[in-house]
Amino acid sequence: MDRNNILLDNLEKLHTTELGTVRIKRNLSLDTDDVVTWCRDKIKSPDAVITRKGKNWYIVAGNCILTVNAYSYTIITAHVK
């Protein structure tokens, strides 16, 4: 099984904390309040490159890098590339 499919198959579990929402919005200068949906759309995009290193998934999509915990599916942070 392709390890990337594990993340894609579990996108409904994707979530973040209140502080995570604030951090992601600040780091990416987002206007949306629904950062989980925004991140989910980035992960599903055809240009997304998904890799797993240790306990985290790293998704490079567009001009950003998302970090997602591989066990809890918590979006930890996001940064501009």
Side-chain angles (χ1 to χ4, degrees):
M1 176 180 212
D2 184 4
R3 285 175 28 148
N4 295 342
N5 286 341
I6 295 170
L7 176 61
L8 294 173
D9 289 345
N10 289 285
L11 283 179
E12 74 281 353
K13 296 179 182 177
L14 205 63
H15 65 281
T16 193
T17 63
E18 286 183 38
L19 287 175
T21 298
V22 171
R23 183 173 44 251
I24 293 163
K25 285 176 67 171
R26 181 188 64 232
N27 290 352
L28 297 179
S29 301
L30 296 179
D31 289 333
T32 184
D33 287 328
D34 192 354
V35 297
V36 173
T37 298
W38 189 91
C39 290
R40 189 177 288 132
D41 291 343
K42 282 292 189 182
I43 294 168
K44 291 190 300 188
S45 70
D47 69 326
V49 177
I50 303 169
T51 56
R52 181 167 173 181
K53 294 180 186 167
K55 65 179 183 174
N56 293 327
W57 294 101
Y58 296 92
I59 303 93
V60 178
N63 67 337
C64 66
I65 302 170
L66 307 173
T67 305
V68 176
N69 181 281
Y71 303 108
S72 66
Y73 297 98
T74 304
I75 307 164
I76 299 166
T77 193
H79 296 282
V80 175
K81 243 186 349 181

